[in-house]
Amino acid sequence: MAARGLRRAVLSARNVRSLWSSVEGKRSACWVMSPSPPESIGENTQRGRGGVLWAAIAFSLFSSSDEDRRDEAQRKEDEIILLLKKAKLSLSRDQLEAASVFLHQALALAHQTHNNQAIIYCYSLMANLAFVQGHLDHAEKLFKAAMSFMLSGGTPEDDNAVIEMSLKLATIYAEQNKTELAEHGFRFCLESLQEKLRREEKAEPTGEEAEPTGEEAEPTEQRKDSRLLLGLCFDSRARYRASRRRLREAEGDYREALKICEGEQGHTHPQTLVLMSDLATILDLQGRHDDALQLVQHAVQLSRSVTHPDLQVLLGNMAGILLHTGRLEDSVRCYQEALSLALQAKDQEAVHAIQEGLEEVKKRKEVKRRKEEEEEKKKEEE
């Protein structure tokens, strides 16, 4: 989606530059055509013919040069797009160093051609790459550079793209334990989106005018995107708050995120079910095991009905909650099913977490066995 958007933006920029070059070319040709003031009719005729001749030659030469420039601009544009495709392919293959090389080459070419859309896209991809690699300081600088180009180009502060980058910066600050900056960042994202959605809601037509058609449907799609981004903001802040054991606040954010996702994506959408499972985990951490179990069981049931791609993760969460309620055998069965799915999906992160869960069950069983033996021994002594 982003790549296609970039393609359209690059083409638009090229068309504007080509049009301006064409106008400049004709203006130069006209200046060549302008003869000096004639001294006599004869001279005027001769100068006129010479002027027309030189004008024709000059116009022909300029057109050729202009065409060369257009070809060169097209070549550089194609090169940028090819480099970005190579970078994205490398990222999909986890070849991060190769992706970094391609992105730096694309960025250099984008700067040479003054292609701001390509510059922004490169900075954004490079920032995401740096974040994945754990280079948080570098990622912060790159996101700020991308935002600077966007804002200087006239993009509003409450544009979804700006807010999304601000959200990533807030997440970086959270990782860096820069609490004040993280809190401010999350608050800015949430308040900006909520205010924008309120304005859009007031501007929406009512009654018979409420059904958008054709191009009028685009604002509705933009509103949906804004709503989903708002849900992502709540989700991100919930994870930040949960990491700091602010569980009640995290619960509130997760409920808001879940409400938005259900409303926009449906109750069986994969992200809805993940949020449902995450909320159950927060309830479990608060000691509300029964509420947590009821919610996660519902999430797993829905996930089975739609073949959720991360069912192993949801099953692992449910197994953990069963463990905390003391239902050890049910927990083992759930973990084993989750492990089988994780191995099939080659989800090593889930495999590791599930194996840790099984080890915890084993320890609890051992503790329970010893406790039962001690109680039995006491009864015999009595």
Side-chain angles (χ1 to χ4, degrees), residues 168-179:
K168 289 174 181 176
L169 280 172
T171 304
I172 288 172
Y173 294 140
E175 291 280 340
Q176 295 172 326
N177 291 318
K178 297 178 180 178
T179 305

Side-chain angles (χ1 to χ4, degrees), residues 2-137:
R4 289 198 295 272
L6 171 64
R7 176 71 180 178
R8 285 196 298 272
V10 171
L11 287 173
S12 298
R14 189 191 74 239
N15 290 340
V16 171
R17 286 197 299 273
S18 297
L19 177 61
W20 178 244
S21 298
S22 177
V23 171
E24 283 189 320
K26 290 180 180 178
R27 186 179 298 155
S28 299
C30 288
W31 276 109
V32 174
M33 286 176 64
S34 300
S36 301
E39 295 179 7
S40 67
I41 296 294
E43 284 185 341
N44 184 38
T45 304
Q46 287 296 108
R47 284 182 179 272
R49 289 175 182 172
V52 172
L53 177 61
W54 282 110
I57 294 172
F59 186 78
S60 174
L61 288 173
F62 190 90
S63 297
S64 176
S65 176
D66 190 37
E67 187 66 32
D68 289 342
R69 282 198 294 272
R70 282 200 298 271
D71 290 344
E72 179 66 10
Q74 179 65 58
R75 185 189 66 77
K76 288 184 177 180
E77 176 193 316
D78 291 341
E79 190 175 346
I80 291 172
I81 293 171
L82 179 60
L83 286 167
L84 290 173
K85 285 182 177 179
K86 288 181 177 179
K88 294 189 75 175
L89 181 61
S90 297
L91 287 171
S92 69
R93 294 174 175 174
D94 287 331
Q95 299 170 349
L96 304 187
E97 293 301 324
S100 179
V101 171
F102 290 133
L103 286 172
H104 277 87
Q105 291 174 350
L107 180 62
L109 200 54
H111 274 295
Q112 288 176 20
T113 55
H114 306 290
N115 191 324
N116 280 3
Q117 291 294 332
I119 290 170
I120 292 166
Y121 189 65
C122 288
Y123 274 135
S124 181
L125 281 180
M126 290 167 71
N128 282 313
L129 176 57
F131 183 77
V132 169
Q133 292 175 309
H135 305 153
L136 300 184
D137 291 338

